Amino acid sequence: MKDLAQIAAVIQHTNVSPASSRRDIEKLCDEAMEFLFNGVMVQPCWIEMCRQRLAGSGVRVCSAMAYPMGGSLTTSKVSEMRDLVAAGVDEVDFMANIGFLTSGEPAAYHDEIAALVAAAGAKPLKIMLELGAMPETLWATAILEAEKAGVAYVKNSSGWGNGGKATVENVSFMRKTVTRAGVKASGGIRSLADATAILNAGAELLGTSAGPAIMRGNSGKQDY
């Protein structure tokens, strides 16, 4: 079993609410530094502020892109990815276009991801698979095509909408399916028991807004 310091080191402290204020994001950064979290996950508009506030702390600045639908034009996604890199982001979690998969077009799915990987350069990309929104028969294809396209991590979902929550079952499936990529879990990780179970299932990173509650032995109230 991992101790609290080990768990803190894999938490990406998250606030991607569209209503979050500058003060909310400042608090997110301060909590990440207090508990020595792996990183913060924020909307793109807050990247620069987080970079300044977290400078020298070792906490990574991560952002979500093409979120929460994933159906933007590939050219728009590529442009946005370049903008995030130029803004100084450390890592990007991006939404896949799962409509390509459900249409029986895995090559289109793969090629879009490969274009985003190329646009990101050396920045690690984590794909939000939204496993809960697709048939389980497509899960392996979604994971393996993303891995072949060059993502650094696969992630069960954004934690919002019908993408579903992290479960022992879907995290275990990702862990058993990947051949190279890491595994990130998000959605519904609210307590130390949740975090421990998901890590034991094979996750290497946790996306959650309940990091401070987890560290204090409490249970977070947020859905993400």
Side-chain angles (χ1 to χ4, degrees):
M1 178 177 175
K2 293 182 182 294
D3 61 28
L4 283 177
Q6 291 173 313
I7 292 174
V10 299
I11 286 177
Q12 296 195 326
H13 193 25
T14 301
N15 187 337
V16 290
S17 169
S20 293
S21 67
R22 184 175 298 274
R23 182 171 296 180
D24 293 330
I25 303 303
E26 289 173 346
K27 179 183 178 185
L28 187 85
C29 291
D30 293 346
E31 289 172 340
M33 289 187 284
E34 176 185 354
F35 293 104
L36 302 179
F37 290 146
N38 172 280
V40 295
M41 173 63 64
V42 297
Q43 295 269 27
C45 61
W46 302 119
I47 291 172
E48 178 60 30
M49 189 199 78
C50 290
R51 283 185 61 218
Q52 294 178 10
R53 198 167 187 89
L54 295 169
S57 69
V59 177
R60 300 178 68 78
V61 178
C62 312
S63 190
M65 196 209 80
Y67 165 86
M69 299 298 289
S72 303
L73 294 173
T74 300
T75 51
S76 298
K77 286 184 173 182
V78 167
S79 178
E80 185 177 6
M81 183 67 75
R82 290 173 177 155
D83 287 343
L84 267 61
V85 171
V89 75
D90 292 313
E91 299 177 7
V92 178
D93 291 24
F94 72 95
M95 190 72 76
N97 189 330
I98 63 173
F100 288 151
L101 287 179
T102 58
S103 299
E105 301 172 13
Y109 171 84
H110 169 278
D111 290 349
E112 178 178 87
I113 297 167
L116 293 172
V117 170
K123 303 296 183 181
L125 298 192
K126 303 188 290 291
I127 184 169
M128 297 184 276
L129 295 165
E130 305 303 279
L131 294 178
M134 71 174 80
E136 289 189 27
T137 53
L138 291 177
W139 285 12
T141 300
I143 293 165
L144 292 173
E145 289 296 334
E147 190 176 50
K148 285 193 294 183
V151 299
Y153 286 83
V154 296
K155 177 179 172 183
N156 60 294
S157 82
S158 63
W160 289 66
N162 62 356
K165 308 302 182 185
T167 65
V168 168
E169 291 74 22
N170 60 35
V171 171
S172 296
F173 185 92
M174 290 190 294
R175 169 51 55 204
K176 292 174 183 176
T177 304
V178 294
T179 63
R180 171 195 54 78
V183 172
K184 180 178 176 180
S186 68
I189 304 170
R190 301 176 185 171
S191 67
L192 180 58
D194 293 337
T196 300
I198 294 300
L199 289 170
N200 287 342
E204 296 160 275
L205 289 173
L206 303 177
T208 178
S209 58
I214 290 170
M215 292 297 102
R216 296 179 179 122
N218 300 320
S219 181
K221 298 179 181 179
Q222 303 92 331
D223 287 337
Y224 190 90

